[in-house]
Amino acid sequence: MAETFDLVVRGGTVMTPSGPTATDVGVRGGKVAALGDLGGAAAASVLDAKGLHVLPGVIDTQVHFREPGLEHKEDIAHGSKAAVKGGVTAFFEMPNTSPLTLGRAELADKLARSQGRAWCDHAYFVGGSEENVADLAELERIRGCAGVKVFMGSSTGSLLADKDELLARILANGRRRVAVHAEDEDRLKERQHIAKEAAHPRAHPIWRDEEAALRATRRIVKLGTDYGRPVHVLHVTSAEELEFLALHKDVATVETTLNHLTMAAPECYDRLGSKAQMNPPVRDERHRAALWRAIADGTIDVIGSDHAPHTLEEKQRPYPSSPSGMPGVQTLLPLLLDHMAKGRLTLQRLVDLTSDGPHRIYGIAGKGRIAMGWDADFAIVDLKAEREITDAWIASKCGWTPFAGMKVTGWPIATVVRGHLAMKDDEVLGTPVGEPVRFWSTLRGK
């Protein structure tokens, strides 16, 4: 008797752990149930992938979906819709919402808000702070918690953890890898006059210079080593940080973003103004070249979008009162495919940076590969498609992208979340099916 599947993805080139393979993929119960010639199999649904590549779904490990409290610029429904339009099948969201995500109640609220509204799977960080430091070991084991996020700079109130004594206490309370925004708050305060006097975002990387990033990165790596706690340094931007981090991969993993790989100062600030403003800042070509070298040599482990939208009205405030951050979850994969088309990385490395890397770093259960028994999360892409990124294509509530007008080669054609077809040909389909991401360390959590 022929096998029966919920979904068969037929005729594509599938990126398996062994490399690209011409094969069909059978899905049953939300998981990969067969790889091979399934021409004779019965299926409730068949997706023709002839001429396309079937990649593991992208796991975007750094987004700001602004809910609760800041829904005028983004929310879980719009942010996750943008995610699946871009081939992203899971996201990790940051704690700087209003109220801040510091306890069990705030985490439960975000998870509840996601049910029936999130188009893809999800997890939420808890912020590490003076307020909750004694509870972090318990909080990080709650189902749906992505771990602890620390802001060493660029935050305010109880979410700012800029002193080594507090950082040490945070690292001593828990076991999971801690995600860190590493900018030295004291140096940022000392140099803030540079931004005020310049009154133009081209001063952003001068104010928030590479020394501010390097100082904080050195501090958190030393503390992580002292306390035996692995850390993940987010949105690394500078050649100096990369040189240092390459020598400390035993304790520190490394992220960069497509913004820093694609833009360079001062051109981006002259062209886009505060639309190019983010923290840490986009730096000059010397640093961008160092990031690409770190992609090639393996120093960088993962690419996140740092999706952090603001309204255009907010972005038009005079610098430096203009807010930092830009949308990016929807453009992550198209931009990376375009970089691949230009020869800057291989497809195997792209998959490692967007799927298998997040799985390794955070201990994700059952996601990040196309393999038997793993979640059926796929980003099905046309490597030869030529498209133009436009504001009209963006599903984010803010309605704009700094990459509008950019022509790219490579495009997500379909997105599958645990066997459910969530997007095809730029149209989001069905209803939201997102569920909390599972982690090895929280499989028995409550």
Side-chain angles (χ1 to χ4, degrees), residues 6-7 9 27 29-32 47 55-58 80-81 83-91 118-122 366-367 374-380 414-424 428-429 431-437:
D6 302 324
L7 170 70
V9 180
V27 176
K31 297 186 181 297
V32 176
L47 188 57
L55 315 183
V58 172
S80 61
K81 182 175 283 190
V84 297
K85 285 191 77 171
V88 173
T89 56
F91 65 83
W119 289 89
C120 59
D121 290 350
H122 45 270
K367 289 188 183 297
W374 289 57
D375 286 359
D377 296 335
F378 311 137
I380 301 173
T415 304
V416 177
V417 179
R418 282 178 292 100
H420 300 273
L421 183 61
M423 183 277 290
K424 189 171 187 292
V428 177
L429 304 170
T431 57
V433 299
E435 294 289 341
V437 173

Side-chain angles (χ1 to χ4, degrees), residues 1 5 47 165 174 195 233 264 276 295 354:
M1 183 178 294
F5 299 98
L47 188 57
E165 185 273 336
V233 187
I295 293 285
T354 59

